[in-house]
Amino acid sequence: MYRCCLGDKILLSNLLTRTLAYICCTTFVVAVAVAIKFLYLTIGDAIVYPIPLIGDVLRSLEIMELFNILVFAILGMGFGIATKLLPWHFGSKVSKITLAILLPIIFLITAVFRYEVWVQKFEMQENIGSRTAAISFTNSFLREKTNGQSGIVGFYLYTAKLPILPSTTQDIEALDDWMRTSQERFARVTRLDPKAVNLLFSVRGWSLRIFYFLISIFTTIANFKEGRKTFSPIL
């Protein structure tokens, strides 16, 4: 009886230790993946998208989102390896459920990051001096362009239709001309017919987001499976 209780305590202690190790490992993996995502978003806004002539084209294609392959490869591989710390019969299920929750959240960090940068830029360019006032002004703009939606939701819907973000009141007033110029520039660079460009811009946002999201899902699943193959189950 004593030996049985002692054995149970050892198994329970071992399980708790491995569960704690799993939590620490997966937390570290998520932190690294998110850090890399913020890094490439910052590089995109600071270096890539301001490039003359082609910057607008790259922004409209959300080209930096290709780095999601690296982000979700790390996420999937890390969780696949960490899964081996848990008992085989439920470790995989725990990781899959956790990844299913984390994947869309990490994917949507792009919209949250760009929204925050846009509000800050608008506040600085207009010398408003108040984040609350900047949010109020940008929300008014978003509600006008998205049939009543504001905040991050309005921003997400707006940027799905238009890649251009006005950073001053003058930009807002000149938005239509700005959009036409951007489409003309895109047509020159890609040598597409203007009508084709208009159609491309109208479906660009959602098509790209679906495409990048599918890539993220595939990358996560593939690397999760590879991570599980890396070591033999511990328990």
Side-chain angles (χ1 to χ4, degrees), residues 201-216:
F201 267 63
S202 64
V203 299
R204 170 205 61 87
W206 292 114
S207 298
L208 284 172
R209 286 173 182 177
I210 292 172
F211 173 70
Y212 289 132
F213 188 62
L214 290 176
I215 287 179
S216 301

Side-chain angles (χ1 to χ4, degrees), residues 18 72 79 84 98 104 129 142 154 161 183 212 218 221 234:
R18 297 193 184 285
F72 290 102
F79 268 80
K84 300 305 183 75
T98 306
L142 292 173
K161 296 188 298 183
Q183 289 182 348
Y212 289 132
F218 175 79
I221 293 174
I234 296 175

Side-chain angles (χ1 to χ4, degrees), residues 22 50 122 138 148 177 186 210:
Y22 173 84
F122 194 91
T138 53
D177 291 336
F186 186 87
I210 292 172

